[in-house]
Amino acid sequence: MDRVGASRVTQGALVAASMASLQRRMEGMAAVQEQLSTGKVINRPSDSPTDTTAAMRMRSALAQQKQYLRNAQDGLAWTGLIDQTLGSVTDQVRRARELALQGASASVSPAARTALAAEVRQIRQGVLDDANTDYLGRPVFGGTTAGNDAYDATGAFVGVAEAVSRATADGVRIRVDLPGTDVFGDGPTSVFAELDALADALEAGDETAIRASIDALGSRLETVSASRAGVGATTNRLERAVQQIQDSTIDLTSDLSDVEDVDLAKVLMDLQVQEVAYQAALAGTARVLQPSLVDFLR
Amino acid sequence: MGGTFASLMSPLSALRYSSTALDTASVNIANASTAGYTRRVVDAVSVGAAPQVSMWSRPAGHVGGVEVTGVRRSVDLLLDARVRHEHSLQSFLDLRASVLDRLEAGLGEPGDNGVAALMSDLDAAWHDLANNPGGDAARSQVLDRAATLADGLRARARSSATEAADQRSALLALVAEVNTVAEELAATNGKIVAAQQSGVDANDLLDRRDLLALRLSELTGAQGTVRPDGAMDVRVQGVSLVDGRNAGRLTVASGVTPTGEGDGSPVSLQVDLGGSTTPVPTVSGGRVGAVVELLDVTIPAFDTALAEVARMLADDVNAAHQAGYDLDGNPGLALFTYDPADPAGTLAVAITDTRQVAASATPGGTLNGDNALAIADLRGAETTYQRLVNDFGTEVAAAGRLASTQAVLTSQVDRSREQLTGVSYDEEMVAMVAAQRTYEAAARMMTVLDSVLDTLINRTGLVR
């Protein structure tokens, strides 16, 4: 009756083993259930420390890409506005040059020249307004100035000739502003001085000075076109950056999903397996715990 | 046959034996699910005639019987010692794993609300500021998110501090429980010795003794040794806690004040026994051991790592911020402040005026945003934090694995013990039926003897 060391199975041992295995099954079900309800494989760092770190890096990189996209789009708004403004400047300077060509003809009456001069002065004001174009309160040709204008009324540059850049990737800065002095010049060498000189020459009927202005405005047009080409190149760079950011966002999102998210088919399969195991454990427990010799003794 | 009526003694002894066996079976069944109950086994020997009654006489017959020598507990002292050992490890690992789980849940990683996400938010705010250095909205967004990040780190530090405070109260409660159990064990020891001396059945007391010793092992990882007189001595890390009928008092010597505050030094315990005080070397098992390890090693290590993150964040950002210039062209001030003694718990944003955010890399009050970009590119604190999460996650995972591995071992020794000490209804039924049959047979034997004697007494010499 007393077999020390031999394997003796008692009702207590059966109950304990049944409870333990039921508990284990429940734990397995709970783990699968958690994955299903959160949709995540990693719900806490200890689920997989390495994957957690990878997921954190990817989340951080995703947030950065999101920000880089905002930066690049902000940069595109700057270059778009600059391009548009330079288009308007080109039209106006070309018109001023046409007016100068008209005025250069000897057959033009002084009254007509005065009218031409008045239009040139209008154009000067228009170009000055363009030079002070602002994006969200910042003059786009004024560098990093805190003021509202890039040029004052006399045509002097009042901006701060520092680059305005946008970060579009790690360590990549794209300059999105255009220094006003590159396009419009400054003070005596500015387009405003050239237009003033043209208006003065028209009023005075000084044909030599008018021809000098025609040459000056011609080279100014080239300067503006060259700047516009530069802005176009910047726009292309920004657009390529946007494309790259969107590509890497897609890559990162899918990588993050690979690391973090559950494979639904697999988890549902796991759940099925756990469920079957749990039911088997329940059925087994019910049948094992029921009978004892008590039932058979009369 | 010996004497005329001596023959009746054999069945009588069988009746006594079988009633003891029936009693034992019914006690076993009654206590089948009582905690700490060990199965009782009836020991019996057959009794023959005395080999030599006196110098000149020899027994003439074959009179004998059965005699109950005792009701024994079905135990194995070595197995009990192993049960105590495994249970002490199990409670150590379980407590440690559950506290680490709680701390880990407080981190909230990986997720959209963890410190890592707050750091990314702050970086984004610096970028927005770089895009629009003059905007008041962008400036206050930087300050708001910096404050949120500081709050986040402080919350993590607070959850760790709360856990440490909980564990300190838990230590005091555990020590009190240890002392209660030790006193009860010492008292039980005294009763056992007295019962054994007076020859009273001490089995229930022995069960009680083993249960209390197991509880002490679970609490402190204590080791028990049974004395020849049945009392159990208990030692914690070699320091005597229960010595026969004398119980020592476990007290906290340093690390935790009686009101549950930390006093800055590592936790140390001591035992007062018999007028002398002995310091206990580092307790490495049981719940007390787990609490001491959490208070002395795990939680401080977590705090240090968190402090390093906070310190690095504040120092890096401050250095970069001070290298820049604010909207008025003045050199930047420190953005974060903290107390070097507790960086994570005291981290706060020092600047309230949005104009003082130093976005510009050049003086003169221009709308330069290069310094904001430089700050956004700082990665030191983020990397350190990722390492903290990785290291801590690894530790929690390891603790969980150790606890479940130990659970296999513990359940195995529990099963072995149950195999030996557990009550099986089937066995008891068989024992009961066997005793019943023995009783019936012995009674029948008596009837036969009675009829034999009847023949002898009433019918001898009668001729029909």
Side-chain angles (χ1 to χ4, degrees):
Chain A
M1 191 165 79
D2 184 20
R3 297 159 58 209
V4 176
S7 179
R8 219 181 129 255
V9 180
T10 65
Q11 266 76 15
L14 277 180
V15 169
S18 306
M19 295 294 273
S21 71
L22 283 180
Q23 191 60 39
R24 244 189 340 270
R25 298 293 172 215
M26 289 293 270
E27 275 168 21
M29 297 254 285
V32 177
Q33 156 70 13
E34 184 186 33
Q35 292 193 355
L36 263 185
S37 58
T38 60
K40 303 270 179 228
V41 183
I42 310 171
N43 287 298
R44 55 190 71 73
S46 60
D47 286 345
S48 169
T50 324
D51 284 351
T52 304
T53 318
M56 283 170 71
R57 290 225 176 88
M58 288 176 202
R59 278 168 177 274
S60 160
L62 262 178
Q64 278 175 30
Q65 296 300 329
K66 200 173 138 203
Q67 186 59 42
Y68 286 145
L69 186 63
R70 280 166 64 94
N71 296 352
Q73 277 162 351
D74 185 67
L76 278 173
W78 275 68
T79 56
L81 185 59
I82 290 173
D83 183 61
Q84 194 189 331
T85 311
L86 288 183
S88 149
V89 169
T90 309
D91 291 348
Q92 295 184 75
V93 172
R94 187 175 292 133
R95 173 72 186 149
R97 191 161 168 271
E98 280 165 12
L99 294 174
L101 285 171
Q102 283 179 32
S105 156
S107 59
V108 182
S109 70
R113 277 190 178 144
T114 310
L116 290 176
E119 192 177 346
V120 168
R121 290 201 194 279
Q122 291 280 334
I123 287 171
R124 179 194 183 275
Q125 189 55 45
V127 173
L128 184 63
D129 287 348
D130 278 348
N132 284 331
T133 303
D134 70 307
Y135 177 66
L136 301 178
R138 292 184 67 181
V140 290
F141 297 105
T144 60
T145 179
N148 294 324
D149 294 330
Y151 285 90
D152 64 9
T154 66
F157 183 69
V158 293
V160 177
E162 267 180 29
V164 174
S165 329
R166 292 291 172 259
T168 57
D170 212 10
V172 177
R173 306 269 187 277
I174 298 181
R175 180 167 192 175
V176 295
D177 72 325
L178 188 61
T181 48
D182 286 5
V183 192
F184 304 104
D186 187 10
T189 60
S190 69
V191 65
F192 313 109
E194 284 158 12
L195 289 170
D196 278 339
L198 173 60
D200 290 348
L202 282 170
E203 277 165 359
D206 181 348
E207 283 185 24
T208 325
I210 293 174
R211 294 206 181 279
S213 285
I214 291 171
D215 290 346
L217 289 177
S219 68
R220 179 63 62 189
L221 272 177
E222 277 166 28
T223 310
V224 174
S225 302
S227 299
R228 214 177 161 189
V231 172
T234 309
T235 308
N236 280 341
R237 260 188 93 188
L238 285 167
E239 276 165 355
R240 265 203 311 280
V242 167
Q243 192 58 50
Q244 273 172 11
I245 292 165
Q246 281 166 346
D247 287 353
S248 61
T249 304
I250 292 172
D251 287 351
L252 279 169
T253 312
S254 101
D255 288 353
L256 182 63
S257 169
D258 283 351
V259 172
E260 269 193 357
D261 294 350
V262 295
D263 176 350
L264 209 56
K266 183 181 169 298
V267 176
L268 284 173
M269 198 54 133
D270 284 351
L271 183 67
Q272 192 68 42
V273 170
Q274 294 286 352
E275 220 176 316
V276 169
Y278 180 58
Q279 279 167 359
L282 276 179
T285 306
R287 291 177 61 172
V288 162
L289 291 186
Q290 282 288 342
S292 87
L293 196 51
V294 183
D295 302 328
F296 300 95
L297 288 177
R298 292 282 175 271
Chain B
M1 277 189 202
T4 310
F5 296 105
S7 303
L8 281 170
M9 297 312 286
S10 272
L12 178 61
S13 73
L15 288 181
R16 281 182 184 144
Y17 164 71
S18 42
S19 73
T20 307
L22 274 173
D23 284 350
T24 307
S26 75
V27 169
N28 277 343
I29 289 170
N31 285 298
S33 55
T34 307
Y37 180 78
T38 50
R39 179 169 57 109
R40 307 286 194 260
V41 180
V42 180
D43 281 338
V45 289
S46 63
V47 180
Q52 186 139 22
V53 180
S54 67
M55 190 173 282
W56 302 112
S57 92
R58 283 187 295 124
H62 306 282
V63 178
V66 61
E67 189 192 346
V68 175
T69 54
V71 177
R72 170 169 62 81
R73 295 159 73 232
S74 169
V75 289
D76 175 355
L77 289 181
L78 287 174
L79 187 58
D80 281 354
R82 253 203 82 201
V83 167
R84 284 195 292 273
H85 177 68
E86 302 298 351
H87 273 258
S88 99
L89 279 178
Q90 185 72 59
S91 51
F92 174 87
L93 292 170
D94 281 351
L95 181 63
R96 193 161 166 272
S98 71
V99 172
L100 283 173
D101 272 351
R102 269 208 299 279
L103 270 178
E104 184 191 31
L107 277 178
E109 299 290 354
D112 297 330
N113 304 309
V115 166
L118 298 179
M119 285 176 166
S120 292
D121 286 352
L122 180 58
D123 282 350
W126 283 115
H127 273 280
D128 282 347
L129 178 61
N131 292 347
N132 188 11
D136 198 43
R139 290 177 167 268
S140 62
Q141 176 175 259
V142 164
L143 291 184
D144 287 350
R145 290 195 177 166
T148 312
L149 175 56
D151 284 350
L153 279 166
R154 280 208 309 276
R156 269 49 176 195
R158 211 163 39 240
S159 92
S160 152
T162 312
E163 192 59 58
D166 286 355
Q167 292 309 316
R168 281 195 293 270
S169 329
L171 179 64
L172 295 180
L174 285 172
V175 165
E177 188 183 349
V178 167
N179 288 330
T180 314
V181 176
E183 273 168 26
E184 206 178 328
L185 178 58
T188 309
N189 277 343
K191 286 182 200 157
I192 289 169
V193 174
Q196 303 246 4
Q197 279 166 353
S198 53
V200 180
D201 178 14
N203 285 340
D204 291 334
L205 290 169
L206 293 173
D207 281 351
R208 182 87 197 132
R209 176 200 73 185
D210 288 350
L211 201 59
L212 291 169
L214 178 60
R215 183 68 192 148
L216 271 185
S217 293
E218 280 176 351
L219 285 169
T220 62
Q223 285 159 332
T225 30
V226 178
R227 290 183 176 192
D229 63 5
M232 183 177 279
D233 293 341
V234 173
R235 275 194 258 290
V236 181
Q237 291 288 300
V239 176
S240 185
L241 178 64
V242 176
D243 182 26
R245 58 185 69 194
N246 301 315
R249 276 195 73 76
L250 187 67
T251 50
V252 181
S254 71
V256 180
T257 65
T259 52
E261 307 292 321
D263 70 0
S265 47
V267 177
S268 66
L269 301 168
Q270 60 189 24
V271 174
D272 301 329
L273 176 62
S276 68
T277 301
T278 322
V280 182
T282 315
V283 180
S284 63
R287 299 175 70 86
V288 171
V291 171
V292 170
E293 210 230 37
L294 284 166
L295 282 175
D296 280 356
V297 183
T298 313
I299 295 180
F302 178 78
D303 287 346
T304 310
L306 200 61
E308 177 63 15
V309 172
R311 197 191 54 71
M312 189 167 241
L313 171 77
D315 287 357
D316 286 1
V317 171
N318 283 351
H321 197 252
Q322 281 164 326
Y325 298 88
D326 68 14
L327 201 52
D328 298 318
N330 301 318
L333 304 168
L335 182 66
F336 288 110
T337 58
Y338 64 88
D339 173 4
D342 178 18
T346 57
L347 189 69
V349 175
I351 292 177
T352 49
D353 183 359
T354 55
R355 294 186 70 81
Q356 287 181 335
V357 177
S360 171
T362 54
T366 62
L367 297 187
N368 179 306
D370 290 348
N371 201 47
L373 278 185
I375 296 176
D377 281 349
L378 294 174
R379 289 277 169 274
E382 197 177 339
T383 318
T384 312
Y385 180 70
Q386 283 170 359
R387 201 163 53 233
L388 178 156
V389 172
N390 190 357
D391 290 355
F392 194 66
T394 311
E395 191 175 355
V396 177
R401 265 198 305 278
L402 280 176
S404 43
T405 313
Q406 180 63 37
V408 175
L409 272 175
T410 310
S411 70
Q412 193 211 334
V413 295
D414 279 351
R415 208 161 48 236
S416 303
R417 191 169 190 273
E418 174 66 28
Q419 276 180 12
L420 182 62
T421 67
V423 175
S424 159
Y425 291 118
D426 299 347
E427 271 179 13
E428 300 308 328
M429 284 298 121
V430 171
M432 185 188 81
V433 172
Q436 188 186 358
R437 294 285 176 241
T438 310
Y439 199 95
E440 283 167 9
R444 179 82 191 141
M445 199 67 219
M446 284 207 159
T447 314
V448 169
L449 285 172
D450 181 42
S451 107
V452 169
L453 289 174
D454 179 53
T455 307
L456 181 69
I457 294 165
N458 294 327
R459 294 184 184 261
T460 307
L462 284 187
V463 181
R464 195 175 282 255

